[in-house]
PDB file of all heavy atoms in Angstrom:
ATOM      1  N   MET A 154      -5.457 -71.070 -28.609  1.00  0.00           N
ATOM      2  CA  MET A 154      -5.561 -69.713 -28.063  1.00  0.00           C
ATOM      3  C   MET A 154      -4.553 -68.796 -28.758  1.00  0.00           C
ATOM      4  O   MET A 154      -3.358 -69.078 -28.773  1.00  0.00           O
ATOM      5  CB  MET A 154      -5.262 -69.758 -26.553  1.00  0.00           C
ATOM      6  CG  MET A 154      -5.098 -68.398 -25.916  1.00  0.00           C
ATOM      7  SD  MET A 154      -4.882 -68.456 -24.109  1.00  0.00           S
ATOM      8  CE  MET A 154      -3.220 -69.104 -23.955  1.00  0.00           C
ATOM      9  N   ASN A 155      -5.061 -67.722 -29.347  1.00  0.00           N
ATOM     10  CA  ASN A 155      -4.157 -66.756 -29.986  1.00  0.00           C
ATOM     11  C   ASN A 155      -3.617 -65.790 -28.952  1.00  0.00           C
ATOM     12  O   ASN A 155      -4.363 -65.219 -28.175  1.00  0.00           O
ATOM     13  CB  ASN A 155      -4.905 -65.977 -31.067  1.00  0.00           C
ATOM     14  CG  ASN A 155      -5.055 -66.822 -32.314  1.00  0.00           C
ATOM     15  OD1 ASN A 155      -4.059 -67.194 -32.946  1.00  0.00           O
ATOM     16  ND2 ASN A 155      -6.287 -67.171 -32.651  1.00  0.00           N
ATOM     17  N   ILE A 156      -2.308 -65.625 -28.948  1.00  0.00           N
ATOM     18  CA  ILE A 156      -1.682 -64.685 -28.009  1.00  0.00           C
ATOM     19  C   ILE A 156      -0.693 -63.798 -28.770  1.00  0.00           C
ATOM     20  O   ILE A 156      -0.272 -64.152 -29.872  1.00  0.00           O
ATOM     21  CB  ILE A 156      -0.945 -65.420 -26.861  1.00  0.00           C
ATOM     22  CG1 ILE A 156       0.233 -66.246 -27.394  1.00  0.00           C
ATOM     23  CG2 ILE A 156      -1.895 -66.303 -26.077  1.00  0.00           C
ATOM     24  CD1 ILE A 156       1.177 -66.711 -26.298  1.00  0.00           C
ATOM     25  N   PRO A 157      -0.331 -62.640 -28.199  1.00  0.00           N
ATOM     26  CA  PRO A 157       0.683 -61.809 -28.855  1.00  0.00           C
ATOM     27  C   PRO A 157       1.975 -62.615 -28.998  1.00  0.00           C
ATOM     28  O   PRO A 157       2.448 -63.192 -28.014  1.00  0.00           O
ATOM     29  CB  PRO A 157       0.880 -60.644 -27.877  1.00  0.00           C
ATOM     30  CG  PRO A 157      -0.334 -60.634 -27.013  1.00  0.00           C
ATOM     31  CD  PRO A 157      -0.785 -62.056 -26.924  1.00  0.00           C
ATOM     32  N   ALA A 158       2.498 -62.680 -30.209  1.00  0.00           N
ATOM     33  CA  ALA A 158       3.652 -63.538 -30.469  1.00  0.00           C
ATOM     34  C   ALA A 158       4.910 -63.037 -29.774  1.00  0.00           C
ATOM     35  O   ALA A 158       5.292 -61.881 -29.895  1.00  0.00           O
ATOM     36  CB  ALA A 158       3.899 -63.614 -31.977  1.00  0.00           C
ATOM     37  N   LEU A 159       5.530 -63.914 -29.024  1.00  0.00           N
ATOM     38  CA  LEU A 159       6.794 -63.598 -28.368  1.00  0.00           C
ATOM     39  C   LEU A 159       7.780 -64.706 -28.727  1.00  0.00           C
ATOM     40  O   LEU A 159       7.636 -65.824 -28.251  1.00  0.00           O
ATOM     41  CB  LEU A 159       6.609 -63.534 -26.848  1.00  0.00           C
ATOM     42  CG  LEU A 159       5.863 -62.309 -26.309  1.00  0.00           C
ATOM     43  CD1 LEU A 159       5.475 -62.502 -24.860  1.00  0.00           C
ATOM     44  CD2 LEU A 159       6.722 -61.065 -26.467  1.00  0.00           C
ATOM     45  N   ALA A 160       8.748 -64.370 -29.553  1.00  0.00           N
ATOM     46  CA  ALA A 160       9.715 -65.389 -29.971  1.00  0.00           C
ATOM     47  C   ALA A 160      10.816 -65.516 -28.917  1.00  0.00           C
ATOM     48  O   ALA A 160      11.989 -65.281 -29.190  1.00  0.00           O
ATOM     49  CB  ALA A 160      10.281 -65.047 -31.341  1.00  0.00           C
ATOM     50  N   ILE A 161      10.398 -65.865 -27.716  1.00  0.00           N
ATOM     51  CA  ILE A 161      11.349 -66.025 -26.602  1.00  0.00           C
ATOM     52  C   ILE A 161      11.370 -67.503 -26.234  1.00  0.00           C
ATOM     53  O   ILE A 161      10.318 -68.127 -26.150  1.00  0.00           O
ATOM     54  CB  ILE A 161      10.898 -65.221 -25.354  1.00  0.00           C
ATOM     55  CG1 ILE A 161      10.650 -63.754 -25.713  1.00  0.00           C
ATOM     56  CG2 ILE A 161      11.928 -65.337 -24.239  1.00  0.00           C
ATOM     57  CD1 ILE A 161      10.146 -62.918 -24.519  1.00  0.00           C
ATOM     58  N   SER A 162      12.562 -68.062 -26.016  1.00  0.00           N
ATOM     59  CA  SER A 162      12.634 -69.431 -25.494  1.00  0.00           C
ATOM     60  C   SER A 162      13.714 -69.491 -24.422  1.00  0.00           C
ATOM     61  O   SER A 162      14.670 -68.713 -24.440  1.00  0.00           O
ATOM     62  CB  SER A 162      12.955 -70.426 -26.611  1.00  0.00           C
ATOM     63  OG  SER A 162      14.315 -70.319 -26.999  1.00  0.00           O
ATOM     64  N   SER A 163      13.555 -70.437 -23.503  1.00  0.00           N
ATOM     65  CA  SER A 163      14.565 -70.630 -22.461  1.00  0.00           C
ATOM     66  C   SER A 163      15.899 -71.031 -23.088  1.00  0.00           C
ATOM     67  O   SER A 163      16.959 -70.636 -22.601  1.00  0.00           O
ATOM     68  CB  SER A 163      14.110 -71.714 -21.479  1.00  0.00           C
ATOM     69  OG  SER A 163      12.868 -71.382 -20.908  1.00  0.00           O
ATOM     70  N   THR A 164      15.824 -71.830 -24.159  1.00  0.00           N
ATOM     71  CA  THR A 164      17.050 -72.257 -24.839  1.00  0.00           C
ATOM     72  C   THR A 164      17.858 -71.047 -25.298  1.00  0.00           C
ATOM     73  O   THR A 164      19.070 -70.967 -25.085  1.00  0.00           O
ATOM     74  CB  THR A 164      16.716 -73.141 -26.062  1.00  0.00           C
ATOM     75  OG1 THR A 164      15.959 -74.263 -25.604  1.00  0.00           O
ATOM     76  CG2 THR A 164      17.963 -73.635 -26.771  1.00  0.00           C
ATOM     77  N   ASP A 165      17.175 -70.090 -25.903  1.00  0.00           N
ATOM     78  CA  ASP A 165      17.857 -68.887 -26.384  1.00  0.00           C
ATOM     79  C   ASP A 165      18.415 -68.083 -25.207  1.00  0.00           C
ATOM     80  O   ASP A 165      19.534 -67.569 -25.282  1.00  0.00           O
ATOM     81  CB  ASP A 165      16.896 -68.035 -27.221  1.00  0.00           C
ATOM     82  CG  ASP A 165      17.555 -66.753 -27.715  1.00  0.00           C
ATOM     83  OD1 ASP A 165      18.642 -66.845 -28.324  1.00  0.00           O
ATOM     84  OD2 ASP A 165      17.007 -65.663 -27.471  1.00  0.00           O
ATOM     85  N   ILE A 166      17.653 -67.993 -24.119  1.00  0.00           N
ATOM     86  CA  ILE A 166      18.133 -67.235 -22.956  1.00  0.00           C
ATOM     87  C   ILE A 166      19.392 -67.884 -22.378  1.00  0.00           C
ATOM     88  O   ILE A 166      20.360 -67.202 -22.058  1.00  0.00           O
ATOM     89  CB  ILE A 166      17.023 -67.119 -21.888  1.00  0.00           C
ATOM     90  CG1 ILE A 166      15.910 -66.210 -22.424  1.00  0.00           C
ATOM     91  CG2 ILE A 166      17.574 -66.573 -20.575  1.00  0.00           C
ATOM     92  CD1 ILE A 166      14.624 -66.273 -21.647  1.00  0.00           C
ATOM     93  N   ARG A 167      19.385 -69.220 -22.292  1.00  0.00           N
ATOM     94  CA  ARG A 167      20.582 -69.902 -21.771  1.00  0.00           C
ATOM     95  C   ARG A 167      21.801 -69.635 -22.647  1.00  0.00           C
ATOM     96  O   ARG A 167      22.888 -69.371 -22.138  1.00  0.00           O
ATOM     97  CB  ARG A 167      20.329 -71.420 -21.662  1.00  0.00           C
ATOM     98  CG  ARG A 167      19.300 -71.799 -20.607  1.00  0.00           C
ATOM     99  CD  ARG A 167      19.290 -73.308 -20.344  1.00  0.00           C
ATOM    100  NE  ARG A 167      18.989 -74.112 -21.525  1.00  0.00           N
ATOM    101  CZ  ARG A 167      17.766 -74.454 -21.916  1.00  0.00           C
ATOM    102  NH1 ARG A 167      16.699 -74.080 -21.217  1.00  0.00           N
ATOM    103  NH2 ARG A 167      17.587 -75.199 -23.005  1.00  0.00           N
ATOM    104  N   SER A 168      21.627 -69.673 -23.983  1.00  0.00           N
ATOM    105  CA  SER A 168      22.802 -69.410 -24.828  1.00  0.00           C
ATOM    106  C   SER A 168      23.260 -67.960 -24.728  1.00  0.00           C
ATOM    107  O   SER A 168      24.450 -67.680 -24.803  1.00  0.00           O
ATOM    108  CB  SER A 168      22.610 -69.765 -26.309  1.00  0.00           C
ATOM    109  OG  SER A 168      21.349 -70.225 -26.574  1.00  0.00           O
ATOM    110  N   ARG A 169      22.297 -67.057 -24.546  1.00  0.00           N
ATOM    111  CA  ARG A 169      22.689 -65.659 -24.386  1.00  0.00           C
ATOM    112  C   ARG A 169      23.537 -65.478 -23.135  1.00  0.00           C
ATOM    113  O   ARG A 169      24.570 -64.805 -23.157  1.00  0.00           O
ATOM    114  CB  ARG A 169      21.453 -64.768 -24.287  1.00  0.00           C
ATOM    115  CG  ARG A 169      20.819 -64.488 -25.633  1.00  0.00           C
ATOM    116  CD  ARG A 169      19.441 -63.881 -25.457  1.00  0.00           C
ATOM    117  NE  ARG A 169      18.887 -63.521 -26.744  1.00  0.00           N
ATOM    118  CZ  ARG A 169      18.938 -62.286 -27.263  1.00  0.00           C
ATOM    119  NH1 ARG A 169      19.455 -61.296 -26.582  1.00  0.00           N
ATOM    120  NH2 ARG A 169      18.435 -62.051 -28.454  1.00  0.00           N
ATOM    121  N   VAL A 170      23.093 -66.083 -22.018  1.00  0.00           N
ATOM    122  CA  VAL A 170      23.842 -65.946 -20.775  1.00  0.00           C
ATOM    123  C   VAL A 170      25.245 -66.519 -20.953  1.00  0.00           C
ATOM    124  O   VAL A 170      26.247 -65.905 -20.580  1.00  0.00           O
ATOM    125  CB  VAL A 170      23.130 -66.655 -19.597  1.00  0.00           C
ATOM    126  CG1 VAL A 170      23.997 -66.653 -18.352  1.00  0.00           C
ATOM    127  CG2 VAL A 170      21.791 -65.986 -19.312  1.00  0.00           C
TER     128      VAL A 170
END
Side-chain angles (χ1 to χ4, degrees):
M154 170 175 72
N155 282 297
I156 64 166
L159 287 167
I161 306 178
S162 74
S163 303
T164 302
D165 179 53
I166 291 166
R167 293 191 301 272
S168 2
R169 281 167 176 263
V170 173

